[in-house]
């Protein structure tokens, strides 16, 4: 990484529970490509003031994580179709004070479902109804999945998400299972919920593939239970690497090689 200087371009991330994964990923690639950029994670005390800072400093790019993916919509100038279609933002790009919102989560989910060859005939339990859940639901619908149940304690947001794509809704997992289990909640994330397994052992036993979008840690209780049961898994570490790659391209205009992305992902999790 170059020594901090007045011409350095700053990119940041905003999250309730910041991690070093994105910070290490982006800074690794900046170093590899010789870019005069630096990336820093923040937990904003005031979201509106933070976004005003992005506009005013100016900060080139801003990643947006839970729980701010919907709240930032009112604070930006433009919505790219990737974000507008699902009313959820995970990336903001600043062009001379004009803030444009994108969603690279959708691209990551769609690619992983395809790369892991998850059959579209699979039944799905999708736990969560926030911004990331919207990206997952849209990717499922667009890939051709139809037997999907949104599991969300918040009936208003859960039903709204389910109705948007003609999916089913239920409040709790209960005894339900499905071919594909997807957790899009903070359950299992480092912090107060890190020991919580988002789907029970019976659901895991009945599943064919288990997908947890939580990236910190990548080995959540759900992923650990699925591995122990011999189930194929898709991890949040995979999600964050793909969406971060697309963010990197938006911020810099450069696309790293697959090998550089793989190395950056490994470095970010080391």
């Amino acid at each position: 990484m170059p020594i901090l200087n007045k011409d350095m371009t700053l990119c940041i991330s905003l999250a309730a529970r910041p991690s070093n994964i994105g910070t290490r990923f982006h800074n690794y690639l900046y170093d590899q490509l010789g870019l005069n950029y630096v990336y820093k994670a923040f937990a904003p005390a005031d979201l509106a003031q933070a976004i005003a800072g992005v506009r005013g400093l100016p900060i080139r790019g801003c990643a947006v994580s839970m729980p701010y993916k919907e709240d930032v919509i009112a604070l930006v100038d433009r919505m790219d179709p990737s974000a507008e279609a699902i009313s959820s933002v995970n990336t903001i790009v600043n062009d001379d004070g004009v803030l444009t919102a994108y969603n690279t989560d959708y691209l990551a989910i769609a690619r992983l479902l395809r790369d892991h060859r998850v059959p579209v005939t699979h039944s799905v339990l999708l736990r969560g109804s926030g911004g990331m859940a919207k990206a997952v639901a849209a990717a499922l619908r667009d890939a051709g999945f139809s037997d999907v149940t949104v599991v969300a304690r918040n009936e208003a947001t859960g039903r709204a998400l389910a109705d948007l794509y003609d999916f089913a809704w239920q409040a709790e997992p209960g005894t339900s299972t499905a071919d594909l289990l997807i957790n899009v909640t903070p359950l299992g994330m480092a912090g107060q919920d890190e020991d919580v397994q988002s789907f029970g052992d019976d659901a895991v036993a009945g599943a064919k593939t288990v997908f947890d979008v939580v990236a910190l840690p990548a080995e959540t209780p759900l992923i650990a239970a699925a591995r122990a049961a011999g189930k194929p898994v898709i991890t949040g570490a995979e999600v964050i690497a793909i969406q971060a790659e697309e963010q990197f391209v938006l911020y810099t205009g450069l696309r790293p090689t697959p090998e550089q992305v793989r190395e950056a992902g490994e470095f970010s999790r080391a």
Side-chain angles (χ1 to χ4, degrees):
M1 183 185 300
I3 295 173
L4 292 173
N5 58 83
K6 68 180 180 61
D7 298 316
M8 180 168 278
T9 298
L10 174 62
C11 293
I12 69 171
S13 64
L14 301 177
R17 303 182 193 176
S19 79
N20 281 322
I21 295 176
T23 301
R24 290 169 63 84
F25 183 95
H26 285 272
N27 284 320
Y28 181 90
L29 289 177
Y30 297 156
D31 183 63
Q32 289 295 302
L33 296 174
L35 300 177
N36 192 26
Y37 276 65
V38 67
Y39 190 102
K40 174 74 170 66
F42 292 94
D46 184 298
L47 183 64
Q49 290 180 356
I51 298 301
V54 171
R55 190 191 307 274
L57 284 175
I59 293 169
R60 170 58 178 164
C62 175
V64 182
S65 297
M66 292 187 291
Y68 305 119
K69 295 186 177 188
E70 294 162 294
D71 294 341
V72 297
I73 292 174
L75 304 174
V76 301
D77 302 304
R78 298 174 181 169
M79 291 282 283
D80 180 78
S82 63
E84 188 169 26
I86 56 178
S87 298
S88 178
V89 173
N90 82 323
T91 305
I92 298 171
V93 177
N94 183 1
D95 293 300
D96 298 321
V98 177
L99 305 186
T100 303
Y102 299 81
N103 194 302
T104 64
D105 289 331
Y106 171 93
L107 300 175
I109 299 300
R111 189 194 302 186
L112 287 167
L113 291 170
R114 182 177 64 249
D115 290 352
H116 284 266
R117 300 185 178 183
V118 182
V120 298
T121 54
H122 272 6
S123 58
V124 184
L125 284 179
L126 169 61
R127 186 164 192 182
S129 60
M132 185 64 169
K134 290 182 177 181
V136 174
L140 288 168
R141 188 277 311 273
D142 292 347
F145 291 84
S146 58
D147 185 2
V148 179
T149 299
V150 175
V151 180
R153 187 176 301 174
N154 186 321
E155 182 173 357
T157 60
R159 282 192 182 277
L161 180 58
D163 291 346
L164 183 62
Y165 298 111
D166 199 25
F167 295 158
W169 166 84
Q170 64 188 54
E172 298 286 353
T175 58
S176 299
T177 190
D179 299 319
L180 173 61
L181 304 179
I182 309 180
N183 175 51
V184 200
T185 75
L187 298 178
M189 182 183 294
Q192 63 182 7
D193 299 316
E194 62 186 324
D195 296 324
V196 181
Q197 186 173 313
S198 52
F199 289 97
D201 289 339
D202 289 344
V204 171
K208 295 178 180 176
T209 300
V210 175
F211 188 172
D212 197 336
V213 304
V214 171
L216 184 67
E219 290 294 310
T220 63
L222 178 62
I223 292 297
R227 291 194 194 280
K231 306 294 180 177
V233 300
I234 307 173
T235 70
E238 296 174 79
V239 176
I240 203 169
I242 295 172
Q243 65 88 15
E245 175 189 354
E246 297 301 325
Q247 288 176 331
F248 182 90
V249 174
L250 287 170
Y251 299 158
T252 68
L254 302 174
R255 183 169 294 279
T257 67
E259 179 66 14
Q260 288 171 328
V261 172
R262 183 189 63 78
E263 291 175 352
E266 292 177 352
F267 179 78
S268 72
R269 300 188 299 273

